[in-house]
mmCIF file of all heavy atoms in Angstrom:
data_model
loop_
_atom_site.group_PDB
_atom_site.id
_atom_site.type_symbol
_atom_site.label_atom_id
_atom_site.label_comp_id
_atom_site.label_asym_id
_atom_site.label_seq_id
_atom_site.Cartn_x
_atom_site.Cartn_y
_atom_site.Cartn_z
ATOM 1 N N LEU F 865 119.340 109.378 75.314
ATOM 2 C CA LEU F 865 118.564 108.567 74.375
ATOM 3 C C LEU F 865 117.903 107.429 75.145
ATOM 4 O O LEU F 865 118.562 106.715 75.900
ATOM 5 C CB LEU F 865 119.479 107.995 73.287
ATOM 6 C CG LEU F 865 120.302 109.038 72.510
ATOM 7 C CD1 LEU F 865 121.294 108.344 71.587
ATOM 8 C CD2 LEU F 865 119.399 109.966 71.712
ATOM 9 N N ILE F 866 116.598 107.254 74.947
ATOM 10 C CA ILE F 866 115.871 106.237 75.718
ATOM 11 C C ILE F 866 115.262 105.150 74.849
ATOM 12 O O ILE F 866 114.627 104.232 75.370
ATOM 13 C CB ILE F 866 114.764 106.885 76.579
ATOM 14 C CG1 ILE F 866 113.708 107.571 75.704
ATOM 15 C CG2 ILE F 866 115.351 107.859 77.585
ATOM 16 C CD1 ILE F 866 112.484 108.042 76.472
ATOM 17 N N MET F 867 115.455 105.237 73.533
ATOM 18 C CA MET F 867 114.900 104.217 72.654
ATOM 19 C C MET F 867 115.603 104.264 71.306
ATOM 20 O O MET F 867 116.225 105.272 70.970
ATOM 21 C CB MET F 867 113.384 104.426 72.471
ATOM 22 C CG MET F 867 113.015 105.758 71.853
ATOM 23 S SD MET F 867 111.227 106.012 71.722
ATOM 24 C CE MET F 867 110.813 104.780 70.495
ATOM 25 N N PRO F 868 115.531 103.170 70.525
ATOM 26 C CA PRO F 868 116.148 103.176 69.199
ATOM 27 C C PRO F 868 115.451 104.185 68.295
ATOM 28 O O PRO F 868 114.273 104.480 68.501
ATOM 29 C CB PRO F 868 115.932 101.740 68.696
ATOM 30 C CG PRO F 868 115.606 100.941 69.917
ATOM 31 C CD PRO F 868 114.924 101.875 70.861
ATOM 32 N N PRO F 869 116.168 104.696 67.273
ATOM 33 C CA PRO F 869 117.589 104.464 67.014
ATOM 34 C C PRO F 869 118.437 105.335 67.935
ATOM 35 O O PRO F 869 118.117 106.492 68.163
ATOM 36 C CB PRO F 869 117.739 104.886 65.556
ATOM 37 C CG PRO F 869 116.693 105.940 65.355
ATOM 38 C CD PRO F 869 115.536 105.546 66.228
ATOM 39 N N PHE F 870 119.481 104.766 68.463
ATOM 40 C CA PHE F 870 120.340 105.494 69.387
ATOM 41 C C PHE F 870 121.352 106.317 68.580
ATOM 42 O O PHE F 870 122.525 105.959 68.458
ATOM 43 C CB PHE F 870 121.031 104.518 70.334
ATOM 44 C CG PHE F 870 120.092 103.906 71.328
ATOM 45 C CD1 PHE F 870 119.471 102.692 71.057
ATOM 46 C CD2 PHE F 870 119.795 104.545 72.515
ATOM 47 C CE1 PHE F 870 118.594 102.121 71.970
ATOM 48 C CE2 PHE F 870 118.911 103.992 73.435
ATOM 49 C CZ PHE F 870 118.309 102.777 73.156
ATOM 50 N N GLU F 871 120.850 107.409 68.020
ATOM 51 C CA GLU F 871 121.645 108.243 67.122
ATOM 52 C C GLU F 871 121.475 109.713 67.494
ATOM 53 O O GLU F 871 120.385 110.144 67.892
ATOM 54 C CB GLU F 871 121.226 108.035 65.666
ATOM 55 C CG GLU F 871 121.481 106.621 65.172
ATOM 56 C CD GLU F 871 120.990 106.381 63.759
ATOM 57 O OE1 GLU F 871 120.220 107.226 63.224
ATOM 58 O OE2 GLU F 871 121.365 105.341 63.182
ATOM 59 N N ILE F 872 122.559 110.475 67.339
ATOM 60 C CA ILE F 872 122.563 111.887 67.701
ATOM 61 C C ILE F 872 123.154 112.686 66.548
ATOM 62 O O ILE F 872 124.217 112.339 66.020
ATOM 63 C CB ILE F 872 123.409 112.153 68.960
ATOM 64 C CG1 ILE F 872 123.066 111.167 70.071
ATOM 65 C CG2 ILE F 872 123.237 113.585 69.444
ATOM 66 C CD1 ILE F 872 124.095 111.149 71.188
ATOM 67 N N LEU F 873 122.484 113.769 66.191
ATOM 68 C CA LEU F 873 123.033 114.712 65.224
ATOM 69 C C LEU F 873 123.924 115.693 65.970
ATOM 70 O O LEU F 873 123.484 116.334 66.928
ATOM 71 C CB LEU F 873 121.894 115.454 64.515
ATOM 72 C CG LEU F 873 122.321 116.443 63.433
ATOM 73 C CD1 LEU F 873 122.846 115.700 62.215
ATOM 74 C CD2 LEU F 873 121.163 117.356 63.055
ATOM 75 N N ILE F 874 125.180 115.783 65.578
ATOM 76 C CA ILE F 874 126.108 116.684 66.266
ATOM 77 C C ILE F 874 126.778 117.610 65.259
ATOM 78 O O ILE F 874 126.972 117.265 64.086
ATOM 79 C CB ILE F 874 127.186 115.914 67.066
ATOM 80 C CG1 ILE F 874 128.008 115.002 66.141
ATOM 81 C CG2 ILE F 874 126.551 115.121 68.186
ATOM 82 C CD1 ILE F 874 129.173 114.337 66.850
ATOM 83 N N ASP F 875 127.113 118.779 65.736
ATOM 84 C CA ASP F 875 127.859 119.754 64.928
ATOM 85 C C ASP F 875 129.335 119.367 64.962
ATOM 86 O O ASP F 875 129.898 119.116 66.032
ATOM 87 C CB ASP F 875 127.656 121.156 65.506
ATOM 88 C CG ASP F 875 128.150 122.248 64.561
ATOM 89 O OD1 ASP F 875 129.202 122.057 63.929
ATOM 90 O OD2 ASP F 875 127.488 123.298 64.487
ATOM 91 N N SER F 876 129.968 119.305 63.812
ATOM 92 C CA SER F 876 131.371 118.890 63.759
ATOM 93 C C SER F 876 132.287 119.837 64.541
ATOM 94 O O SER F 876 133.403 119.471 64.915
ATOM 95 C CB SER F 876 131.844 118.808 62.302
ATOM 96 O OG SER F 876 131.709 120.069 61.674
ATOM 97 N N LYS F 877 131.783 121.067 64.833
ATOM 98 C CA LYS F 877 132.587 122.022 65.605
ATOM 99 C C LYS F 877 132.803 121.550 67.039
ATOM 100 O O LYS F 877 133.689 122.051 67.738
ATOM 101 C CB LYS F 877 131.908 123.390 65.603
ATOM 102 C CG LYS F 877 131.902 124.068 64.249
ATOM 103 C CD LYS F 877 131.201 125.423 64.341
ATOM 104 C CE LYS F 877 131.177 126.119 62.971
ATOM 105 N NZ LYS F 877 130.458 127.421 63.062
ATOM 106 N N MET F 878 131.955 120.595 67.486
ATOM 107 C CA MET F 878 132.109 120.069 68.848
ATOM 108 C C MET F 878 133.378 119.247 68.995
ATOM 109 O O MET F 878 133.860 119.033 70.117
ATOM 110 C CB MET F 878 130.912 119.193 69.216
ATOM 111 C CG MET F 878 129.595 119.927 69.324
ATOM 112 S SD MET F 878 128.291 118.807 69.846
ATOM 113 C CE MET F 878 128.843 118.388 71.499
ATOM 114 N N LEU F 879 133.905 118.767 67.876
ATOM 115 C CA LEU F 879 135.040 117.849 67.926
ATOM 116 C C LEU F 879 136.360 118.595 67.840
ATOM 117 O O LEU F 879 136.514 119.566 67.094
ATOM 118 C CB LEU F 879 134.942 116.834 66.798
ATOM 119 C CG LEU F 879 133.684 115.948 66.790
ATOM 120 C CD1 LEU F 879 133.758 114.941 65.649
ATOM 121 C CD2 LEU F 879 133.520 115.227 68.119
#
Side-chain angles (χ1 to χ4, degrees):
L865 305 173
I866 63 171
M867 61 183 292
F870 289 93
E871 296 176 347
I872 312 165
L873 182 71
I874 59 174
D875 192 321
S876 60
K877 292 180 180 178
M878 294 183 65
L879 300 183

